[in-house]
């Protein structure tokens, strides 16, 4: 059993073909659809996901993304870039069979990033959050169908990006003025919205967050089959939740390779922490390769193109080291 590796989502630069070539060339067994935020608003992860919404639209204001009554230039641009990225990916995955990951921002992070007409985040309006989650689910269903049609041999893995999830649960999201925070959203409401969203996909659903205190237990209960996180932010407080998740079959997408330029350790050193975690949890080393996917710690948009390529190649070597020497 070989451990696998994949990317998180974003890459530097603005050339869709170059990005698709990198994502499919680095991860021959688990490529992904790259995002290129350097192109501008609409190519960023929030803008791209707002472009997927059905019957709900957004445009860019100086303060960020704001709800609109009709689709405008920003929506059209987001959709056109996504189309360009899918065309490029399709070109480099002719005849491909195997896992393929696509990413979209989840409803709770979108609700913190999308402003209502008055300038406050949608997060403060429970009804608007419900509408947003429903619109996103509909849009994702269409997007996934399009990906399967373009790359019929792909076993599509859906990654839902929720970096603001912990802040939403703990009432740490700042209001427009910055002087107060929005009330924490009830855990059951959060879990229910995620469960409904995950249900649009009948394959693997991975939730990604590179924030501290990832709610492993909540994500497992909502039906996530994998959790993607920045390994360096883990503390032993999360041990029990991670142990339960792994034992119930949840895969850990361990972000062990830094997302910005710096020296890369040897591949075995990169996954040393994962081996230690396994020992601490009392899990059998033999299960490491099937339970762990090695990734960069976060998206690579802030890296240089050369480092982004090196980091992705490093993930593949680190995964191999994990499979060869799980002890």
């Amino acid at each position: 059993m070989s451990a696998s590796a994949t990317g998180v989502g974003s890459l530097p630069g603005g050339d869709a073909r170059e990005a698709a070539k990198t994502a499919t060339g680095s991860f021959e067994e688990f490529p992904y659809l790259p995002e290129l935020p350097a192109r501008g608003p609409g190519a960023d992860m929030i803008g791209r996901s707002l472009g997927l919404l059905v019957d709900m639209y957004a445009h860019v204001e100086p303060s960020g993304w704001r709800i609109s009554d009709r689709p405008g230039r920003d929506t059209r641009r987001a959709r056109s870039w996504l189309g360009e990225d899918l065309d490029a990916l399709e070109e480099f995955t002719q005849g491909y069979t195997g896992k393929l990951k696509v990413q979209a921002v989840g409803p709770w992070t979108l609700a913190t990033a999308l402003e209502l007409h008055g300038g406050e985040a949608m997060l403060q309006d429970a009804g608007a959050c419900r509408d947003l989650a429903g619109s996103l689910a509909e849009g994702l269903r269409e997007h996934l169908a399009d990906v399967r049609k373009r790359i019929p041999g792909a076993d599509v893995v859906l990654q839902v990006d929720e970096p603001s999830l912990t802040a939403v649960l703990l009432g740490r999201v700042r209001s427009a003025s910055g002087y107060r925070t929005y009330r924490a959203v009830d855990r059951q409401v959060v879990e229910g919205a995620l469960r409904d969203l995950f249900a649009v996909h009948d394959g693997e659903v991975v939730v990604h967050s590179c924030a501290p205190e990832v709610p492993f237990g909540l994500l497992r209960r909502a039906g996530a089959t994998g959790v993607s996180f920045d390994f360096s932010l883990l503390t032993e407080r999360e041990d029990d939740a991670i142990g339960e998740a792994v034992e119930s079959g949840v895969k850990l997408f361990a972000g062990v390779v830094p997302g910005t330029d710096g020296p890369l350790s040897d591949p075995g050193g990169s996954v040393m922490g994962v081996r230690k975690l396994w020992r601490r949890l009392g899990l059998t080393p033999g299960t490491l390769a099937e339970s762990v996917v090695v990734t960069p710690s976060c998206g690579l948009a802030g890296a240089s193109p050369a480092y982004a390529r090196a980091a992705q190649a490093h993930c593949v070597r680190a995964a191999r080291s994990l499979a060869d020497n799980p002890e």
Side-chain angles (χ1 to χ4, degrees):
M1 173 80 195
S2 67
S4 54
T6 189
V8 171
S10 65
L11 285 174
D15 181 334
R17 288 189 75 252
E18 187 54 43
K21 189 174 158 190
T22 299
T24 53
S26 302
F27 301 113
E28 291 171 7
E29 292 175 9
F30 199 164
Y32 65 98
L33 174 67
E35 296 160 6
L36 299 172
R39 292 180 296 197
D44 58 305
M45 62 184 224
I46 297 290
R48 165 171 284 193
S49 297
L50 291 173
L52 292 173
L53 299 177
V54 172
D55 297 333
M56 198 180 260
Y57 313 102
H59 64 276
V60 180
E61 293 271 337
S63 55
W65 288 93
R66 186 167 292 186
I67 197 104
S68 311
D69 299 323
R70 61 185 70 84
R73 192 184 59 206
D74 296 326
T75 301
R76 283 194 296 274
R77 196 165 44 203
R79 289 177 180 172
S80 137
W81 271 326
L82 175 59
E84 200 177 293
D85 293 341
L86 283 165
D87 289 345
L89 186 70
E90 189 177 351
E91 179 188 336
F92 286 99
T93 49
Q94 292 294 313
Y96 174 73
T97 55
K99 288 188 189 297
L100 169 75
K101 185 165 70 68
V102 297
Q103 306 81 227
V105 178
W108 296 108
T109 296
L110 274 187
T112 66
L114 183 56
E115 298 172 355
L116 297 163
H117 292 298
E120 288 296 344
M122 196 174 254
L123 186 66
Q124 75 163 24
D125 181 333
C129 286
R130 272 196 302 277
D131 293 346
L132 176 65
S135 167
L136 178 63
E138 206 41 55
L140 266 178
R141 192 178 279 122
E142 290 173 13
H143 175 47
L144 291 163
D146 180 32
V147 173
R148 281 193 290 263
K149 195 166 81 219
R150 288 166 175 268
I151 308 162
D155 171 12
V156 180
V157 175
L158 170 63
Q159 175 180 307
V160 177
D161 291 317
E162 279 284 15
S164 304
L165 187 60
T166 302
V168 167
L169 290 166
L170 299 177
R172 291 179 186 161
V173 179
R174 295 216 159 273
S175 66
S177 66
Y179 292 125
R180 60 184 185 85
T181 52
Y182 298 115
R183 257 206 314 273
V185 181
D186 181 88
R187 295 183 85 84
Q188 261 150 350
V189 172
V190 170
E191 192 181 310
L194 290 174
R195 186 178 296 114
D196 291 347
L197 182 77
F198 300 167
V200 306
H201 183 45
D202 53 10
E204 290 180 51
V205 178
V206 178
V207 178
H208 170 72
S209 167
C210 23
E213 300 173 70
V214 174
F216 287 92
L218 181 145
L219 295 173
R220 173 176 60 83
R221 288 191 301 275
T225 60
V227 181
S228 165
F229 56 97
D230 179 342
F231 195 85
S232 69
L233 298 176
L234 277 192
T235 65
E236 293 193 11
R237 283 200 304 273
E238 276 111 347
D239 278 6
D240 289 349
I242 290 178
E244 277 172 35
V246 171
E247 283 176 346
S248 67
V250 173
K251 282 192 178 145
L252 302 183
F253 284 63
V256 295
V257 178
T260 47
D261 292 41
L264 290 166
S265 75
D266 68 297
S270 295
V271 284
M272 187 110 71
V274 180
R275 292 193 188 96
K276 280 189 183 140
L277 171 70
W278 236 243
R279 278 200 294 274
R280 234 174 34 232
L281 297 176
L283 296 165
T284 38
T287 60
L288 253 177
E290 63 211 48
S291 300
V292 175
V293 178
V294 177
T295 72
S297 58
C298 220
L300 293 165
S304 66
Y307 177 81
R309 282 193 297 274
Q312 298 201 132
H314 191 83
C315 288
V316 174
R317 287 196 293 271
R320 201 167 296 139
S321 146
L322 203 54
D324 294 346
N325 315 302
E327 297 289 349

